[in-house]
Amino acid sequence: MSLLLQALNSTRGRVVIGVLAAYCSFQLWLTLAAPGKISPELAGNSDKLNVQIELPFTPERFHVLAFQQYGRVSGTDERSIELRGVKRRDLTAIARPYWVTSVGPIKEGG
């Protein structure tokens, strides 16, 4: 406990504690916000899904590679990535990054 008191009494310690608190708060927000980004249209019993991941910008190579670990990327659009064969348990992990706007079913014919 004395180590915590020493940290609170120094400027550097307060800065480190503040940065850690901000980081933990951001991670908690990402975890809590992820289920709200998943479309209710994806509800069902199937083990694998085809999803469209909406982004607020044009996807780049980094984003495509980041999502390839969850399924097969079948294409990109102006602001979305199509991902096929996604396991249902991976949906929250896909929706977790702050730069994902929403995750829904692939829009056919669009």
Side-chain angles (χ1 to χ4, degrees):
M1 195 63 158
S2 65
L3 185 61
L4 181 61
L5 290 175
Q6 287 176 352
L8 288 173
N9 288 331
S10 72
T11 304
R12 186 177 301 166
R14 285 191 299 266
V15 168
V16 169
I17 290 171
V19 168
L20 285 173
Y23 176 77
C24 289
S25 298
F26 180 64
Q27 293 301 318
L28 178 64
W29 174 76
L30 289 176
T31 301
L32 295 175
K37 296 178 186 179
I38 300 171
S39 172
E41 296 174 22
L42 292 175
N45 295 330
S46 61
D47 194 33
K48 294 201 175 189
L49 305 165
N50 298 331
V51 298
Q52 186 161 356
I53 305 160
E54 298 291 333
L55 307 174
F57 48 80
T58 304
E60 296 181 5
R61 185 173 189 262
F62 165 79
H63 306 103
V64 172
L65 292 176
F67 289 122
Q68 276 185 338
Q69 64 183 329
Y70 300 110
R72 185 175 22 95
V73 175
S74 63
T76 61
D77 200 354
E78 184 70 27
R79 293 185 176 213
S80 65
I81 298 174
E82 291 180 359
L83 196 60
R84 297 184 185 270
V86 176
K87 294 178 183 168
R88 185 171 297 282
R89 68 174 187 257
D90 291 336
L91 284 177
T92 54
I94 290 170
R96 193 170 187 278
Y98 68 90
W99 33 268
V100 171
T101 305
S102 65
V103 178
I106 292 179
K107 297 172 183 79
E108 300 297 333

